[in-house]
Amino acid sequence: MPQKTPRPLRPPGSTPPRSSGTLRGPLFSLAVDILLPLLVYYAARALGADQVPALLLSGAPPALRLLAGAVRHRRIDGVDLFLTVLLVGAALVSLIGGGPRVLLFKNAALSLAVGAWALGTALTRNPLAFQLGQRLHQGEAVRARARLWQDSTPFRRGQRALTLLWGAEQFLDGGVGALAAAALPPDTVPLLDRAVSLALLALAAGITAGYARRFRGRHALPLFGAPAPAPATAPRASRVSCGP
């Protein structure tokens, strides 16, 4: 009979390697929220659309992503609900009136609002960093992270520090966007806005990765992953007396 190939063993307490699917969701959101609106805007302009209709069309991909997620999961969580309300409000303001600069300021205001909301969650029991970390896991991993939040002061401090970092990044993004919307030609602003957003996101991601690595080395705790289960201990054999 053919012998079965032995499966590679992992050290006790280690976690299995992550699949690339863990990053697929955030990368897809990044493409839909930043890159696709840019392509839609300049494609509409190339086809002869005015600036205002092109800007309105460029806001459609993020809104459709949020709607599709709500329909697929049959619920909408706090993060998506907040962004949906902001997008709907911006669309209503755009339909009431205003030129292209009003729509460009809308993008900056969106970043400023997200930054304010992120900073606000840092003072609550569910900071943004912890919420996003929970969305990367399922089942027992979610419950393990919730227990870690309840039991570990350093873990709570680390989640709040990352939330403050991301809130500050959004504030800076919104401030630069507002200055660009006020001073630059309207057709230049979307490209510069997306370039600044990507650069700030890359900077925040680099700082986050370095902070998470130092945090794990200092406290032996993951900021985004699930804590490794404690290795099972073998039962102690009872001692049998042989004496009289």
Side-chain angles (χ1 to χ4, degrees), residues 63-74:
L64 292 176
R65 181 186 66 81
L66 294 176
L67 179 62
V71 172
R72 183 172 63 253
H73 300 295
R74 296 182 180 179

Side-chain angles (χ1 to χ4, degrees), residues 20-233:
S20 59
T22 303
L23 296 177
R24 190 175 303 163
L27 290 177
F28 177 76
S29 299
L30 183 67
V32 173
D33 294 345
I34 294 183
L35 299 180
L36 191 54
L38 189 66
L39 295 176
V40 170
Y41 174 79
Y42 286 110
R45 291 290 287 154
L47 293 174
D50 291 335
Q51 292 170 342
V52 171
L55 288 170
L56 288 174
L57 286 174
S58 69
L64 292 176
R65 181 186 66 81
L66 294 176
L67 179 62
V71 172
R72 183 172 63 253
H73 300 295
R74 296 182 180 179
R75 67 179 180 85
I76 183 167
D77 57 20
V79 178
D80 288 344
L81 178 61
F82 179 77
L83 295 177
T84 301
V85 170
L86 290 177
L87 287 171
V88 171
L92 291 176
V93 171
S94 303
L95 292 176
I96 291 173
R101 292 203 183 272
V102 173
L103 295 178
L104 294 175
F105 274 113
K106 176 264 297 181
N107 294 332
L110 181 64
S111 295
L112 291 173
V114 170
W117 176 74
L119 293 176
T121 65
L123 305 177
T124 68
R125 299 181 60 182
N126 289 298
L128 177 62
F130 180 70
Q131 294 182 48
L132 294 180
Q134 290 292 76
R135 294 174 67 177
L136 297 176
H137 301 279
Q138 295 179 350
E140 180 56 34
V142 173
R143 293 186 287 272
R145 285 174 51 83
R147 291 191 296 267
L148 190 60
W149 171 263
Q150 293 292 332
D151 300 337
S152 174
T153 299
F155 182 77
R156 293 194 296 270
R157 188 182 303 119
Q159 297 293 332
R160 289 195 168 98
L162 289 180
T163 300
L164 291 173
L165 168 67
W166 298 345
E169 180 268 332
Q170 283 295 300
F171 255 110
L172 183 58
D173 190 5
V176 174
L179 291 176
L184 296 178
D187 280 333
T188 305
V189 175
L191 180 60
L192 178 64
D193 190 29
R194 296 306 188 272
V196 170
S197 295
L198 288 174
L200 290 176
L201 282 174
L203 178 61
I207 296 175
T208 297
Y211 179 78
R213 185 167 53 250
R214 290 192 300 271
F215 184 90
R216 186 167 192 135
R218 179 178 302 176
H219 301 288
L221 294 173
L223 281 176
F224 294 106
T233 57

